[in-house]
């Protein structure tokens, strides 16, 4: 295996391969294959561990999106039950409002606790504070509506 390479270093490497026996060449070839396979496996493991961390983040984000969507639905229930309460002052409407307010507040606290960024945490806490204000306003309205209903009944 004589190589007609322009550099002398390449010719020396080629002469070393020619001096090796067939068994040595096969073992060294498989050794190189095993080393490349181990390098690829290590790189794959590193890549998959990064993907696992990202999946964890996405799971937290998906949970928060789910909570926000549920809180949004509950805010709609509060709005609808409040309108219904203003029309007919039914006790079931007042109970719907209280149940939805409590559940929405719990969801917002949970979302703020699991938020990944401070900006989101502040946003969830701000919406929770607004909801608490709404709860107080609804309680005052219910008290006034009940007092008015008692005066009209008398």
């Amino acid at each position: 295996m004589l190589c007609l390479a322009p550099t002398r270093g390449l010719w020396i490497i080629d002469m070393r391969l020619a001096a090796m026996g067939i068994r040595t060449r096969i073992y060294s070839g498989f050794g190189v294959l095993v080393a490349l396979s181990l390098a690829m496996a290590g790189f794959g493991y590193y890549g998959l561990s990064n993907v696992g961390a990202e999946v964890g983040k996405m799971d937290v984000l998906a949970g928060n999106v789910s909570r926000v969507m549920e809180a949004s639905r509950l805010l709609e229930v509060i709005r609808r039950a409040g309108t219904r309460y203003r029309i007919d002052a039914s006790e079931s409407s007042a109970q719907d409002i209280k149940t939805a307010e409590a559940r929405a507040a719990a969801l917002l606290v949970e979302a703020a606790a699991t938020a990944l960024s401070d900006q989101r945490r502040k946003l969830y806490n701000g919406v929770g504070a607004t909801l608490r204000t709404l709860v107080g306003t609804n309680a005052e309205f219910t008290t006034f509506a009940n007092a008015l209903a008692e005066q009209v009944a008398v």
Side-chain angles (χ1 to χ4, degrees), residues 12-116:
I12 292 173
I13 292 172
D14 196 26
M15 286 301 291
R16 285 186 190 160
L17 287 176
M20 286 193 243
I22 189 76
R23 183 182 215 176
T24 307
R25 285 189 219 167
I26 290 174
Y27 282 148
S28 61
F30 278 115
V32 168
L33 285 176
V34 167
L36 286 174
S37 298
L38 286 174
M40 287 177 57
F43 181 72
Y45 177 76
Y46 173 74
L48 286 177
S49 66
N50 286 342
V51 168
E54 292 299 317
V55 167
K57 283 182 186 177
M58 294 307 270
D59 187 39
V60 169
L61 289 174
N64 275 349
V65 167
S66 174
R67 285 183 202 94
V68 167
M69 288 179 64
E70 177 69 14
S72 176
R73 187 191 67 78
L74 289 169
L75 290 173
E76 180 63 25
V77 167
I78 292 168
R79 188 197 60 78
R80 195 171 6 117
T83 302
R84 197 171 65 225
Y85 185 80
R86 285 179 181 90
I87 292 171
D88 61 5
S90 67
E91 223 17 72
S92 66
S93 298
Q95 188 59 36
D96 288 345
I97 291 171
K98 289 178 185 176
T99 304
E101 284 172 343
R103 178 71 181 136
L107 284 172
L108 289 170
V109 167
E110 200 175 317
T114 59
L116 296 177

Side-chain angles (χ1 to χ4, degrees), residues 125-142:
N125 288 333
V127 172
T130 304
L131 180 64
R132 284 189 291 278
T133 303
L134 178 67
V135 168
T137 304
N138 283 340
E140 287 177 17
F141 180 76
T142 304

